[in-house]
Amino acid sequence: MTLRISTPEREGTYQGSKYLKYQVLCDENELGRLFQRLGAVWMYRLTGLNDGAPIEPGRFLLEYAQWMAALREGRVPSDQALRSLLASAWTVEPDALWKQEVPGKQYIVKLAKPVVQVQAHFFTYSALDEVFRPMTMGPGNIFWGLQFSFPQIYQDPKTMEFLEVEECPNATLFQTIKQWVRDETRATPFVVAGKKTNVPIRLGKGCFSWIHRHPQLNEQKIGVYAS
């Protein structure tokens, strides 16, 4: 799907709020089964300048598979590798996105309607208050797959009216992701200093057998309880 070229003056400014979020570390087979459920979906980069062309789901899955291969070998995916898919928009609605041209025939992809936003996910653990905090960056952060997010309310960029998302086609897309999360993953039972804590951050059922090789968990002496 080719995105339309437009301008902020013509499109207005989209805003979403009250996001529902799922943070998931799954293996490539589990992510592949999500793609099978989704069917036809378009993916676009939301970070930096790019050509505005869609990301092929097969390429996304291949990149993600390389991230998981690194973890299984006790290596963290490089920043360069993660940047390739650091933030993207998934949509089944053709006009939910547009692109703004910048000098040099490059583009910035912009939102016009609610889309599922997908980002590389990191969390931190604080020994002071024994809390796991998702989507945090900085020293000591731990790479943990992807975050899927979707707003519950958005502001129409042209009418400025506040709307709920139930009637949006991408709401169904997010519901499919939500069901996949329930079917393929579990709340992660982290173990620190002998204390087990079930955390809403999710782990794919196929990852429990090798997650002990995750180097950043080992560095911080964080385990995962394998029942």
Side-chain angles (χ1 to χ4, degrees):
M1 180 182 70
T2 301
L3 299 180
R4 67 185 182 277
I5 301 173
S6 192
T7 65
E9 291 75 21
R10 189 181 306 161
E11 297 290 337
T13 301
Y14 165 88
Q15 294 187 69
S17 63
K18 296 186 177 180
Y19 280 81
L20 293 179
K21 301 175 182 179
Y22 294 103
Q23 296 93 19
V24 178
L25 177 63
C26 63
D27 67 22
E28 62 272 22
N29 296 319
E30 290 159 339
L31 186 62
R33 288 194 286 274
L34 171 61
F35 286 0
Q36 291 172 0
R37 293 192 189 199
L38 295 180
V41 60
W42 290 286
M43 305 175 181
Y44 294 88
R45 293 178 188 82
L46 290 178
T47 51
L49 301 178
N50 59 77
D51 59 6
I55 306 167
E56 290 295 330
R59 183 189 168 190
F60 192 107
L61 186 58
L62 178 61
E63 293 274 354
Y64 187 83
Q66 292 172 352
W67 297 0
M68 295 304 102
L71 283 185
R72 283 193 289 267
E73 294 170 2
R75 298 181 290 109
V76 180
S78 68
D79 289 343
Q80 182 178 2
L82 294 176
R83 259 198 303 273
S84 65
L85 299 174
L86 188 61
S88 60
W90 295 11
T91 181
V92 297
E93 192 171 11
D95 62 348
L97 298 159
W98 58 279
K99 58 186 181 182
Q100 179 181 353
E101 188 172 3
V102 297
K105 292 296 181 181
Q106 292 287 292
Y107 300 93
I108 302 172
V109 175
K110 302 274 193 174
L111 307 186
K113 296 180 181 179
V115 299
V116 176
Q117 296 184 50
V118 183
Q119 300 168 263
H121 170 247
F122 302 81
F123 75 86
T124 58
Y125 172 74
S126 170
L128 293 176
D129 52 11
E130 300 182 340
V131 172
F132 292 85
R133 292 184 171 87
M135 214 58 198
T136 50
M137 304 294 288
N141 66 0
I142 295 171
F143 168 68
W144 200 261
L146 300 170
Q147 174 175 275
F148 302 89
S149 60
F150 190 71
Q152 298 305 288
I153 296 173
Y154 73 101
Q155 187 175 33
D156 185 286
K158 294 180 179 178
T159 68
M160 307 304 288
E161 182 182 4
F162 286 95
L163 303 168
E164 296 188 355
V165 299
E166 284 86 350
E167 303 302 320
C168 295
N170 284 325
T172 301
L173 175 65
F174 190 70
Q175 286 300 316
T176 301
I177 294 171
K178 178 179 179 180
Q179 188 59 53
W180 167 81
V181 168
R182 290 177 174 174
D183 293 343
E184 297 277 359
T185 73
R186 291 173 46 195
T188 308
F190 286 116
V191 180
V192 181
K195 179 180 178 181
K196 181 178 120 176
T197 305
N198 284 317
V199 179
I201 296 170
R202 311 287 292 193
L203 181 61
K205 296 175 183 177
C207 300
F208 277 80
S209 63
W210 57 261
I211 196 61
H212 62 280
R213 300 177 198 152
H214 194 311
Q216 292 170 320
L217 293 182
N218 293 332
E219 287 170 7
Q220 300 189 41
K221 295 181 172 56
I222 300 172
V224 174
Y225 182 80
S227 56

